[in-house]
Amino acid sequence: MGGALHLHSKEGEGSTFTFMLPLQAGSTDHAAARPAVPAPVATTLPVAPGAGGTRRILIVEDDPFFSHLLADFVHGRGYTPLVAADGEEGLQLAQLEAPHAVLLDVMMARMDGWEVMRRLRADPRTSHLPVHFISCLDEWQRARDLGALGLVSKPVSREQLAQVFDAIEQAWAGALKRVLVVEDDESQLSSLAALLAGRDIEVVRCKSGRAALELLAHSHFDCMVLDLGLQDMSGYEVLEAVQAAPALRHVPVVVHSGQDLDREQLRVLNRHARSIIIKGRHSPERLLSEVQLFLHSVEQGGHAVEQEALALAGGKVLVVDDDMRNLFSLASLLGDRGVQVVEAENGQEALDKLAAEAGFDVVLMDIMMPQMDGYEAMRRIRADARFKELPIIAMTAKAMPGDHQKCLEAGASDYLAKPIDTAQLLSLLRVWTRR
């Protein structure tokens, strides 16, 4: 109907929804539905209107007048604008809204465009995004060195903006990835396909193991999402067949299962799959994150994974968690990056491992465990002079107010809330191992 819905929200104060419709139904004049441009307040996260195409363009610009002009142009190209008034806000929108490209200013308060670009490239969720700078600075080479498509200097003509979008669309043309989703439950299959679709991903659906192997043998796929409980053959048999075919071993496999797996099953799966996700409340978010991580690694020719491997390879990490699924998931993630992983299932076992072995670079410590919880384990570790400076990253599923401070007081160097964000974990490990 040519309308729009705007949201302005501030934590602790509330939200304002603005619903706009043209006076004449079916009007082709979309002027009334143009996105509102917020004042540059970091705590406001504007959500763009639904009209204007399926692809979303994130505009990070602190000049309200110019950001409004850019939003008009984005609408005119058939896309949906997302508007951020500064760099920090832009990063939040990039992580929350999964845009398809970014138009980025440089000179902004709190965080300039160069730093925004570095953080976008450092996060696997956003490292693939086409980014084009629009700035009053003339530093084209610096923009390209950071991985941007280019830089145009203000003032910008419509012809220059058209060239910017030509470059973005060319980047999109080469970025489509194919994912094979193997699931025999029709509702689950539809949900997974909807979750992955629309993010420069072509989703191919499949309900049986044999059909999946046939598709893999005759088509190219960048990733496979596999359920274990198939009707014609088990997911384990599919994995074994994939591993037996040299041409298919490179395809990353994300196992997405509702089965309660024992230790031996997890060991088998970790030999063949890149990631294991148990179906549950947070599994869709983690599945999307894992698939995007693998696809972006493929897109960069493995460069992102190689960089991580260079930063982490040769390290030794003690992983302390009473949930076997978490232990094996973290062991697989870190093992792929050349990290030696030692496992412990409770605080006392962690103390025993530290006493028996030398050379640990970091400890990943779960909090809620039987026998001895993470708080007590960290206090005892810090009481030993040998481990005064050993980095300890606490992991907890509670994420209640005060948990962060409680972890630090017990001896943690840093803190992660579950479900663990893969990119954040790897970033913290790189920081603490360098120290």
Side-chain angles (χ1 to χ4, degrees), residues 78-99:
Y79 306 123
T80 298
L82 303 167
V83 180
D86 60 39
E88 289 189 4
E89 198 178 332
L91 281 174
Q92 292 179 55
L93 273 179
Q95 293 161 359
L96 291 172
E97 296 295 330

mmCIF file with all atom_site columns, all heavy atoms in Angstrom, residues 78-99:
data_model
loop_
_atom_site.group_PDB
_atom_site.id
_atom_site.type_symbol
_atom_site.label_atom_id
_atom_site.label_alt_id
_atom_site.label_comp_id
_atom_site.label_asym_id
_atom_site.label_entity_id
_atom_site.label_seq_id
_atom_site.pdbx_PDB_ins_code
_atom_site.Cartn_x
_atom_site.Cartn_y
_atom_site.Cartn_z
_atom_site.occupancy
_atom_site.B_iso_or_equiv
_atom_site.pdbx_formal_charge
_atom_site.auth_seq_id
_atom_site.auth_comp_id
_atom_site.auth_asym_id
_atom_site.auth_atom_id
_atom_site.pdbx_PDB_model_num
ATOM 1   N N   . GLY A 1 78 ? 15.393 0.326   -5.544 1.00 0.00 ? 78 GLY A N   1
ATOM 2   C CA  . GLY A 1 78 ? 14.582 -0.851  -5.252 1.00 0.00 ? 78 GLY A CA  1
ATOM 3   C C   . GLY A 1 78 ? 15.004 -1.613  -4.020 1.00 0.00 ? 78 GLY A C   1
ATOM 4   O O   . GLY A 1 78 ? 14.625 -2.774  -3.841 1.00 0.00 ? 78 GLY A O   1
ATOM 5   N N   . TYR A 1 79 ? 15.795 -0.981  -3.122 1.00 0.00 ? 79 TYR A N   1
ATOM 6   C CA  . TYR A 1 79 ? 16.269 -1.666  -1.924 1.00 0.00 ? 79 TYR A CA  1
ATOM 7   C C   . TYR A 1 79 ? 15.714 -0.988  -0.670 1.00 0.00 ? 79 TYR A C   1
ATOM 8   O O   . TYR A 1 79 ? 15.122 0.090   -0.725 1.00 0.00 ? 79 TYR A O   1
ATOM 9   C CB  . TYR A 1 79 ? 17.800 -1.668  -1.883 1.00 0.00 ? 79 TYR A CB  1
ATOM 10  C CG  . TYR A 1 79 ? 18.432 -2.232  -3.130 1.00 0.00 ? 79 TYR A CG  1
ATOM 11  C CD1 . TYR A 1 79 ? 19.345 -1.482  -3.877 1.00 0.00 ? 79 TYR A CD1 1
ATOM 12  C CD2 . TYR A 1 79 ? 18.098 -3.505  -3.585 1.00 0.00 ? 79 TYR A CD2 1
ATOM 13  C CE1 . TYR A 1 79 ? 19.919 -1.993  -5.031 1.00 0.00 ? 79 TYR A CE1 1
ATOM 14  C CE2 . TYR A 1 79 ? 18.666 -4.019  -4.743 1.00 0.00 ? 79 TYR A CE2 1
ATOM 15  C CZ  . TYR A 1 79 ? 19.569 -3.263  -5.465 1.00 0.00 ? 79 TYR A CZ  1
ATOM 16  O OH  . TYR A 1 79 ? 20.127 -3.765  -6.601 1.00 0.00 ? 79 TYR A OH  1
ATOM 17  N N   . THR A 1 80 ? 15.936 -1.626  0.465  1.00 0.00 ? 80 THR A N   1
ATOM 18  C CA  . THR A 1 80 ? 15.453 -1.103  1.744  1.00 0.00 ? 80 THR A CA  1
ATOM 19  C C   . THR A 1 80 ? 16.605 -0.479  2.522  1.00 0.00 ? 80 THR A C   1
ATOM 20  O O   . THR A 1 80 ? 17.621 -1.150  2.754  1.00 0.00 ? 80 THR A O   1
ATOM 21  C CB  . THR A 1 80 ? 14.838 -2.230  2.590  1.00 0.00 ? 80 THR A CB  1
ATOM 22  O OG1 . THR A 1 80 ? 13.712 -2.762  1.890  1.00 0.00 ? 80 THR A OG1 1
ATOM 23  C CG2 . THR A 1 80 ? 14.388 -1.724  3.948  1.00 0.00 ? 80 THR A CG2 1
ATOM 24  N N   . PRO A 1 81 ? 16.491 0.789   2.923  1.00 0.00 ? 81 PRO A N   1
ATOM 25  C CA  . PRO A 1 81 ? 17.572 1.418   3.688  1.00 0.00 ? 81 PRO A CA  1
ATOM 26  C C   . PRO A 1 81 ? 17.462 1.130   5.186  1.00 0.00 ? 81 PRO A C   1
ATOM 27  O O   . PRO A 1 81 ? 16.368 1.102   5.754  1.00 0.00 ? 81 PRO A O   1
ATOM 28  C CB  . PRO A 1 81 ? 17.379 2.911   3.410  1.00 0.00 ? 81 PRO A CB  1
ATOM 29  C CG  . PRO A 1 81 ? 15.906 3.055   3.172  1.00 0.00 ? 81 PRO A CG  1
ATOM 30  C CD  . PRO A 1 81 ? 15.435 1.763   2.565  1.00 0.00 ? 81 PRO A CD  1
ATOM 31  N N   . LEU A 1 82 ? 18.606 0.914   5.812  1.00 0.00 ? 82 LEU A N   1
ATOM 32  C CA  . LEU A 1 82 ? 18.741 0.886   7.267  1.00 0.00 ? 82 LEU A CA  1
ATOM 33  C C   . LEU A 1 82 ? 19.639 2.057   7.622  1.00 0.00 ? 82 LEU A C   1
ATOM 34  O O   . LEU A 1 82 ? 20.743 2.158   7.086  1.00 0.00 ? 82 LEU A O   1
ATOM 35  C CB  . LEU A 1 82 ? 19.380 -0.422  7.742  1.00 0.00 ? 82 LEU A CB  1
ATOM 36  C CG  . LEU A 1 82 ? 18.690 -1.730  7.361  1.00 0.00 ? 82 LEU A CG  1
ATOM 37  C CD1 . LEU A 1 82 ? 19.612 -2.909  7.628  1.00 0.00 ? 82 LEU A CD1 1
ATOM 38  C CD2 . LEU A 1 82 ? 17.410 -1.890  8.166  1.00 0.00 ? 82 LEU A CD2 1
ATOM 39  N N   . VAL A 1 83 ? 19.208 2.937   8.510  1.00 0.00 ? 83 VAL A N   1
ATOM 40  C CA  . VAL A 1 83 ? 19.948 4.167   8.783  1.00 0.00 ? 83 VAL A CA  1
ATOM 41  C C   . VAL A 1 83 ? 20.552 4.133   10.178 1.00 0.00 ? 83 VAL A C   1
ATOM 42  O O   . VAL A 1 83 ? 19.845 3.910   11.163 1.00 0.00 ? 83 VAL A O   1
ATOM 43  C CB  . VAL A 1 83 ? 19.035 5.400   8.631  1.00 0.00 ? 83 VAL A CB  1
ATOM 44  C CG1 . VAL A 1 83 ? 19.806 6.678   8.919  1.00 0.00 ? 83 VAL A CG1 1
ATOM 45  C CG2 . VAL A 1 83 ? 18.429 5.446   7.229  1.00 0.00 ? 83 VAL A CG2 1
ATOM 46  N N   . ALA A 1 84 ? 21.865 4.348   10.276 1.00 0.00 ? 84 ALA A N   1
ATOM 47  C CA  . ALA A 1 84 ? 22.556 4.461   11.558 1.00 0.00 ? 84 ALA A CA  1
ATOM 48  C C   . ALA A 1 84 ? 23.221 5.821   11.625 1.00 0.00 ? 84 ALA A C   1
ATOM 49  O O   . ALA A 1 84 ? 23.821 6.290   10.656 1.00 0.00 ? 84 ALA A O   1
ATOM 50  C CB  . ALA A 1 84 ? 23.598 3.360   11.712 1.00 0.00 ? 84 ALA A CB  1
ATOM 51  N N   . ALA A 1 85 ? 23.142 6.463   12.788 1.00 0.00 ? 85 ALA A N   1
ATOM 52  C CA  . ALA A 1 85 ? 23.617 7.836   12.933 1.00 0.00 ? 85 ALA A CA  1
ATOM 53  C C   . ALA A 1 85 ? 25.078 7.935   13.352 1.00 0.00 ? 85 ALA A C   1
ATOM 54  O O   . ALA A 1 85 ? 25.622 9.028   13.410 1.00 0.00 ? 85 ALA A O   1
ATOM 55  C CB  . ALA A 1 85 ? 22.748 8.592   13.936 1.00 0.00 ? 85 ALA A CB  1
ATOM 56  N N   . ASP A 1 86 ? 25.715 6.813   13.689 1.00 0.00 ? 86 ASP A N   1
ATOM 57  C CA  . ASP A 1 86 ? 27.151 6.845   13.996 1.00 0.00 ? 86 ASP A CA  1
ATOM 58  C C   . ASP A 1 86 ? 27.725 5.438   13.861 1.00 0.00 ? 86 ASP A C   1
ATOM 59  O O   . ASP A 1 86 ? 26.994 4.475   13.575 1.00 0.00 ? 86 ASP A O   1
ATOM 60  C CB  . ASP A 1 86 ? 27.438 7.424   15.391 1.00 0.00 ? 86 ASP A CB  1
ATOM 61  C CG  . ASP A 1 86 ? 26.795 6.638   16.521 1.00 0.00 ? 86 ASP A CG  1
ATOM 62  O OD1 . ASP A 1 86 ? 26.779 5.394   16.445 1.00 0.00 ? 86 ASP A OD1 1
ATOM 63  O OD2 . ASP A 1 86 ? 26.301 7.257   17.474 1.00 0.00 ? 86 ASP A OD2 1
ATOM 64  N N   . GLY A 1 87 ? 29.039 5.301   14.077 1.00 0.00 ? 87 GLY A N   1
ATOM 65  C CA  . GLY A 1 87 ? 29.701 4.030   13.843 1.00 0.00 ? 87 GLY A CA  1
ATOM 66  C C   . GLY A 1 87 ? 29.259 2.917   14.764 1.00 0.00 ? 87 GLY A C   1
ATOM 67  O O   . GLY A 1 87 ? 29.038 1.778   14.322 1.00 0.00 ? 87 GLY A O   1
ATOM 68  N N   . GLU A 1 88 ? 29.117 3.200   16.053 1.00 0.00 ? 88 GLU A N   1
ATOM 69  C CA  . GLU A 1 88 ? 28.707 2.161   17.003 1.00 0.00 ? 88 GLU A CA  1
ATOM 70  C C   . GLU A 1 88 ? 27.314 1.638   16.667 1.00 0.00 ? 88 GLU A C   1
ATOM 71  O O   . GLU A 1 88 ? 27.039 0.445   16.709 1.00 0.00 ? 88 GLU A O   1
ATOM 72  C CB  . GLU A 1 88 ? 28.765 2.697   18.432 1.00 0.00 ? 88 GLU A CB  1
ATOM 73  C CG  . GLU A 1 88 ? 30.189 2.911   18.937 1.00 0.00 ? 88 GLU A CG  1
ATOM 74  C CD  . GLU A 1 88 ? 30.222 3.241   20.420 1.00 0.00 ? 88 GLU A CD  1
ATOM 75  O OE1 . GLU A 1 88 ? 29.151 3.229   21.056 1.00 0.00 ? 88 GLU A OE1 1
ATOM 76  O OE2 . GLU A 1 88 ? 31.326 3.513   20.922 1.00 0.00 ? 88 GLU A OE2 1
ATOM 77  N N   . GLU A 1 89 ? 26.429 2.567   16.343 1.00 0.00 ? 89 GLU A N   1
ATOM 78  C CA  . GLU A 1 89 ? 25.068 2.182   15.968 1.00 0.00 ? 89 GLU A CA  1
ATOM 79  C C   . GLU A 1 89 ? 25.085 1.351   14.686 1.00 0.00 ? 89 GLU A C   1
ATOM 80  O O   . GLU A 1 89 ? 24.344 0.368   14.543 1.00 0.00 ? 89 GLU A O   1
ATOM 81  C CB  . GLU A 1 89 ? 24.249 3.454   15.771 1.00 0.00 ? 89 GLU A CB  1
ATOM 82  C CG  . GLU A 1 89 ? 22.751 3.264   15.791 1.00 0.00 ? 89 GLU A CG  1
ATOM 83  C CD  . GLU A 1 89 ? 22.019 4.591   15.641 1.00 0.00 ? 89 GLU A CD  1
ATOM 84  O OE1 . GLU A 1 89 ? 22.566 5.637   16.040 1.00 0.00 ? 89 GLU A OE1 1
ATOM 85  O OE2 . GLU A 1 89 ? 20.907 4.561   15.122 1.00 0.00 ? 89 GLU A OE2 1
ATOM 86  N N   . GLY A 1 90 ? 25.958 1.733   13.752 1.00 0.00 ? 90 GLY A N   1
ATOM 87  C CA  . GLY A 1 90 ? 26.073 0.996   12.501 1.00 0.00 ? 90 GLY A CA  1
ATOM 88  C C   . GLY A 1 90 ? 26.515 -0.438  12.719 1.00 0.00 ? 90 GLY A C   1
ATOM 89  O O   . GLY A 1 90 ? 25.995 -1.372  12.094 1.00 0.00 ? 90 GLY A O   1
ATOM 90  N N   . LEU A 1 91 ? 27.488 -0.664  13.625 1.00 0.00 ? 91 LEU A N   1
ATOM 91  C CA  . LEU A 1 91 ? 27.933 -2.024  13.926 1.00 0.00 ? 91 LEU A CA  1
ATOM 92  C C   . LEU A 1 91 ? 26.805 -2.858  14.520 1.00 0.00 ? 91 LEU A C   1
ATOM 93  O O   . LEU A 1 91 ? 26.632 -4.030  14.176 1.00 0.00 ? 91 LEU A O   1
ATOM 94  C CB  . LEU A 1 91 ? 29.119 -1.989  14.899 1.00 0.00 ? 91 LEU A CB  1
ATOM 95  C CG  . LEU A 1 91 ? 30.484 -1.673  14.302 1.00 0.00 ? 91 LEU A CG  1
ATOM 96  C CD1 . LEU A 1 91 ? 31.523 -1.541  15.407 1.00 0.00 ? 91 LEU A CD1 1
ATOM 97  C CD2 . LEU A 1 91 ? 30.912 -2.749  13.311 1.00 0.00 ? 91 LEU A CD2 1
ATOM 98  N N   . GLN A 1 92 ? 26.019 -2.254  15.423 1.00 0.00 ? 92 GLN A N   1
ATOM 99  C CA  . GLN A 1 92 ? 24.896 -2.980  16.018 1.00 0.00 ? 92 GLN A CA  1
ATOM 100 C C   . GLN A 1 92 ? 23.886 -3.389  14.952 1.00 0.00 ? 92 GLN A C   1
ATOM 101 O O   . GLN A 1 92 ? 23.413 -4.530  14.924 1.00 0.00 ? 92 GLN A O   1
ATOM 102 C CB  . GLN A 1 92 ? 24.214 -2.116  17.072 1.00 0.00 ? 92 GLN A CB  1
ATOM 103 C CG  . GLN A 1 92 ? 25.062 -1.865  18.312 1.00 0.00 ? 92 GLN A CG  1
ATOM 104 C CD  . GLN A 1 92 ? 24.313 -0.981  19.308 1.00 0.00 ? 92 GLN A CD  1
ATOM 105 O OE1 . GLN A 1 92 ? 23.198 -1.281  19.711 1.00 0.00 ? 92 GLN A OE1 1
ATOM 106 N NE2 . GLN A 1 92 ? 24.931 0.121   19.680 1.00 0.00 ? 92 GLN A NE2 1
ATOM 107 N N   . LEU A 1 93 ? 23.561 -2.464  14.055 1.00 0.00 ? 93 LEU A N   1
ATOM 108 C CA  . LEU A 1 93 ? 22.605 -2.788  12.998 1.00 0.00 ? 93 LEU A CA  1
ATOM 109 C C   . LEU A 1 93 ? 23.161 -3.853  12.060 1.00 0.00 ? 93 LEU A C   1
ATOM 110 O O   . LEU A 1 93 ? 22.427 -4.728  11.602 1.00 0.00 ? 93 LEU A O   1
ATOM 111 C CB  . LEU A 1 93 ? 22.246 -1.533  12.205 1.00 0.00 ? 93 LEU A CB  1
ATOM 112 C CG  . LEU A 1 93 ? 21.100 -0.676  12.757 1.00 0.00 ? 93 LEU A CG  1
ATOM 113 C CD1 . LEU A 1 93 ? 20.869 0.538   11.875 1.00 0.00 ? 93 LEU A CD1 1
ATOM 114 C CD2 . LEU A 1 93 ? 19.825 -1.485  12.857 1.00 0.00 ? 93 LEU A CD2 1
ATOM 115 N N   . ALA A 1 94 ? 24.464 -3.796  11.760 1.00 0.00 ? 94 ALA A N   1
ATOM 116 C CA  . ALA A 1 94 ? 25.074 -4.785  10.881 1.00 0.00 ? 94 ALA A CA  1
ATOM 117 C C   . ALA A 1 94 ? 24.944 -6.185  11.471 1.00 0.00 ? 94 ALA A C   1
ATOM 118 O O   . ALA A 1 94 ? 24.717 -7.166  10.753 1.00 0.00 ? 94 ALA A O   1
ATOM 119 C CB  . ALA A 1 94 ? 26.541 -4.436  10.638 1.00 0.00 ? 94 ALA A CB  1
ATOM 120 N N   . GLN A 1 95 ? 25.084 -6.292  12.801 1.00 0.00 ? 95 GLN A N   1
ATOM 121 C CA  . GLN A 1 95 ? 24.997 -7.600  13.455 1.00 0.00 ? 95 GLN A CA  1
ATOM 122 C C   . GLN A 1 95 ? 23.554 -8.057  13.629 1.00 0.00 ? 95 GLN A C   1
ATOM 123 O O   . GLN A 1 95 ? 23.261 -9.250  13.524 1.00 0.00 ? 95 GLN A O   1
ATOM 124 C CB  . GLN A 1 95 ? 25.696 -7.520  14.817 1.00 0.00 ? 95 GLN A CB  1
ATOM 125 C CG  . GLN A 1 95 ? 27.203 -7.319  14.691 1.00 0.00 ? 95 GLN A CG  1
ATOM 126 C CD  . GLN A 1 95 ? 27.831 -6.794  15.974 1.00 0.00 ? 95 GLN A CD  1
ATOM 127 O OE1 . GLN A 1 95 ? 27.143 -6.556  16.967 1.00 0.00 ? 95 GLN A OE1 1
ATOM 128 N NE2 . GLN A 1 95 ? 29.145 -6.618  15.961 1.00 0.00 ? 95 GLN A NE2 1
ATOM 129 N N   . LEU A 1 96 ? 22.626 -7.114  13.873 1.00 0.00 ? 96 LEU A N   1
ATOM 130 C CA  . LEU A 1 96 ? 21.239 -7.482  14.163 1.00 0.00 ? 96 LEU A CA  1
ATOM 131 C C   . LEU A 1 96 ? 20.389 -7.685  12.913 1.00 0.00 ? 96 LEU A C   1
ATOM 132 O O   . LEU A 1 96 ? 19.519 -8.551  12.884 1.00 0.00 ? 96 LEU A O   1
ATOM 133 C CB  . LEU A 1 96 ? 20.587 -6.394  15.035 1.00 0.00 ? 96 LEU A CB  1
ATOM 134 C CG  . LEU A 1 96 ? 21.094 -6.258  16.472 1.00 0.00 ? 96 LEU A CG  1
ATOM 135 C CD1 . LEU A 1 96 ? 20.498 -5.013  17.115 1.00 0.00 ? 96 LEU A CD1 1
ATOM 136 C CD2 . LEU A 1 96 ? 20.742 -7.489  17.288 1.00 0.00 ? 96 LEU A CD2 1
ATOM 137 N N   . GLU A 1 97 ? 20.636 -6.881  11.877 1.00 0.00 ? 97 GLU A N   1
ATOM 138 C CA  . GLU A 1 97 ? 19.720 -6.834  10.741 1.00 0.00 ? 97 GLU A CA  1
ATOM 139 C C   . GLU A 1 97 ? 20.223 -7.536  9.486  1.00 0.00 ? 97 GLU A C   1
ATOM 140 O O   . GLU A 1 97 ? 19.510 -7.628  8.498  1.00 0.00 ? 97 GLU A O   1
ATOM 141 C CB  . GLU A 1 97 ? 19.399 -5.371  10.394 1.00 0.00 ? 97 GLU A CB  1
ATOM 142 C CG  . GLU A 1 97 ? 18.661 -4.627  11.501 1.00 0.00 ? 97 GLU A CG  1
ATOM 143 C CD  . GLU A 1 97 ? 17.279 -5.198  11.761 1.00 0.00 ? 97 GLU A CD  1
ATOM 144 O OE1 . GLU A 1 97 ? 16.663 -5.717  10.818 1.00 0.00 ? 97 GLU A OE1 1
ATOM 145 O OE2 . GLU A 1 97 ? 16.820 -5.158  12.906 1.00 0.00 ? 97 GLU A OE2 1
ATOM 146 N N   . ALA A 1 98 ? 21.468 -8.053  9.508  1.00 0.00 ? 98 ALA A N   1
ATOM 147 C CA  . ALA A 1 98 ? 22.035 -8.786  8.364  1.00 0.00 ? 98 ALA A CA  1
ATOM 148 C C   . ALA A 1 98 ? 21.833 -8.030  7.046  1.00 0.00 ? 98 ALA A C   1
ATOM 149 O O   . ALA A 1 98 ? 21.176 -8.516  6.122  1.00 0.00 ? 98 ALA A O   1
ATOM 150 C CB  . ALA A 1 98 ? 21.424 -10.175 8.269  1.00 0.00 ? 98 ALA A CB  1
ATOM 151 N N   . PRO A 1 99 ? 22.387 -6.817  6.922  1.00 0.00 ? 99 PRO A N   1
ATOM 152 C CA  . PRO A 1 99 ? 22.242 -6.083  5.662  1.00 0.00 ? 99 PRO A CA  1
ATOM 153 C C   . PRO A 1 99 ? 23.032 -6.761  4.544  1.00 0.00 ? 99 PRO A C   1
ATOM 154 O O   . PRO A 1 99 ? 23.844 -7.657  4.795  1.00 0.00 ? 99 PRO A O   1
ATOM 155 C CB  . PRO A 1 99 ? 22.834 -4.709  5.994  1.00 0.00 ? 99 PRO A CB  1
ATOM 156 C CG  . PRO A 1 99 ? 23.839 -4.992  7.061  1.00 0.00 ? 99 PRO A CG  1
ATOM 157 C CD  . PRO A 1 99 ? 23.241 -6.102  7.882  1.00 0.00 ? 99 PRO A CD  1
#
